């Protein structure tokens, strides 16, 4: 009812608030078709009026609906839209997470070439932005893809780089996890330390 009144008086921001609220509540009622309709209408209104943050909220809720329905092609396109918005906002963290999500979707479809490209793009932004947690996550994703593709030496190099970063910033859980991964690739503790020294020496040179 409120939405109809705001629409009649052309109060755009209030319409957006109502449509988003209706969409969220329809999700809670598991009425996904109706929720999509309202969120898509809200998204169009946000786009027309340059309301970027509410647009991101709408896209996030649409992603949730289509993930529940396993409409992965739609989810992929929605993540591409969120990536574009984060880039426009110069939001590096949002861009990184979007790249990682795109990579995860491509990995799910066994498109490893595209998956690793997205993971690398996200990781490079994380490195430039000094986001330690996201650097480690990105390197983990890249290493995992390399293992899937049977490129064990390349995977080992990525995990050694991740281990060096984890030790530099004293991220204890990551140190333990990465060492387990390296041991699964056939390295013992002594070999891990040797690889780590070699990596650090090359960086100094």
């Amino acid at each position: 009812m409120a939405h109809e009144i705001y629409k009649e008086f052309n109060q755009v921001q209030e319409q957006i608030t109502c449509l988003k609220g209706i969409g969220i509540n329809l999700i809670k009622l598991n009425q996904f078709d109706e929720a999509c309709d309202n969120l898509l209408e809200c998204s169009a209104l946000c786009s027309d009026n340059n309301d970027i943050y509410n647009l991101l909220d709408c896209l996030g809720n649409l992603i949730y609906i289509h993930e529940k329905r396993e409409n992965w092609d739609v989810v992929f396109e929605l993540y591409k839209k969120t990536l574009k918005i984060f880039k426009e906002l110069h939001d590096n963290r949002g861009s990184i997470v979007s790249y990682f999500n795109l990579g995860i979707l491509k990995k799910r479809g066994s498109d490893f070439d595209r998956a690793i490209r997205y993971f690398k793009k996200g990781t490079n932004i994380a490195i430039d932005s000094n986001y330690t947690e996201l650097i480690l996550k990105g390197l983990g994703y890249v290493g995992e893809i390399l293992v899937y593709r049977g490129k064990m030496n390349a995977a080992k190099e990525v995990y050694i780089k991740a281990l060096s970063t984890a030790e530099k910033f004293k991220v204890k859980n990551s140190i333990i996890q990465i060492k387990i991964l390296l041991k699964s690739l056939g390295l013992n503790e002594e070999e891990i330390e040797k690889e780590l020294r070699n990596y650090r020496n090359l960086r100094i040179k």
Side-chain angles (χ1 to χ4, degrees):
M1 286 171 68
H3 174 247
E4 289 305 317
I5 294 166
Y6 289 132
K7 196 171 183 180
E8 189 178 335
F9 288 98
N10 199 31
Q11 290 181 262
V12 174
Q13 203 57 48
E14 289 77 5
Q15 287 179 64
I16 289 169
T17 301
C18 287
L19 285 168
K20 192 169 78 168
I22 293 165
I24 289 166
N25 280 285
L26 285 166
I27 289 172
K28 289 175 182 175
L29 293 166
N30 291 320
Q31 295 178 23
F32 294 136
D33 286 335
E34 295 89 340
C36 275
D37 290 342
N38 280 276
L39 290 166
L40 287 168
E41 186 181 343
C42 188
S43 298
L45 207 54
C46 291
S47 293
D48 291 343
N49 292 276
N50 204 31
D51 187 341
I52 303 299
Y53 293 101
N54 275 317
L55 177 57
L56 281 170
D57 279 348
C58 287
L59 291 173
N61 284 301
L62 286 165
I63 286 167
Y64 172 79
I65 291 169
H66 289 291
E67 280 181 340
K68 290 279 282 185
R69 292 177 152 185
E70 299 187 356
N71 295 332
W72 302 120
D73 288 343
V74 178
V75 173
F76 182 79
E77 292 305 318
L78 289 168
Y79 273 130
K80 281 173 73 174
K81 286 183 180 179
T82 61
L83 173 61
K84 184 182 177 186
I85 293 168
F86 283 129
K87 283 182 172 180
E88 287 172 4
L89 292 171
H90 304 290
D91 183 333
N92 286 345
R93 183 175 286 274
S95 296
I96 294 160
V97 172
S98 294
Y99 273 125
F100 287 170
N101 285 329
L102 289 166
I104 289 165
L105 287 170
K106 285 300 161 188
K107 183 186 81 170
R108 182 192 293 273
S110 299
D111 187 348
F112 297 135
D113 287 338
R114 288 180 74 187
I116 203 166
R117 282 204 298 273
Y118 286 127
F119 288 141
K120 283 181 175 179
K121 283 181 179 179
T123 306
N124 287 338
I125 298 171
I127 291 167
D128 291 340
S129 306
N130 286 319
Y131 292 144
T132 305
E133 174 196 348
L134 293 173
I135 293 169
L136 293 172
K137 186 174 279 192
L139 290 171
Y141 287 140
V142 172
E144 185 183 5
I145 296 294
L146 290 169
V147 169
Y148 281 144
R149 296 170 75 183
K151 298 184 176 182
M152 300 307 175
N153 281 335
K156 178 195 73 178
E157 289 171 11
V158 169
Y159 288 139
I160 289 293
K161 182 177 181 178
L163 181 58
S164 179
T165 303
E167 288 194 350
K168 180 181 177 182
F169 293 99
K170 298 180 172 60
V171 187
K172 289 183 181 178
N173 285 343
S174 291
I175 292 168
I176 293 165
Q177 289 168 5
I178 296 162
K179 283 189 173 182
I180 290 168
L181 288 168
L182 284 164
K183 285 174 182 176
S184 75
L185 295 179
L187 278 71
N188 59 36
E189 195 71 40
E190 189 179 325
E191 288 168 331
I192 290 170
E193 290 306 315
K194 183 182 176 183
E195 292 286 347
L196 206 51
R197 283 195 302 273
N198 290 341
Y199 171 75
R200 286 170 178 161
N201 288 336
L202 283 171
R203 280 178 63 81
I204 290 167
K205 290 176 184 177

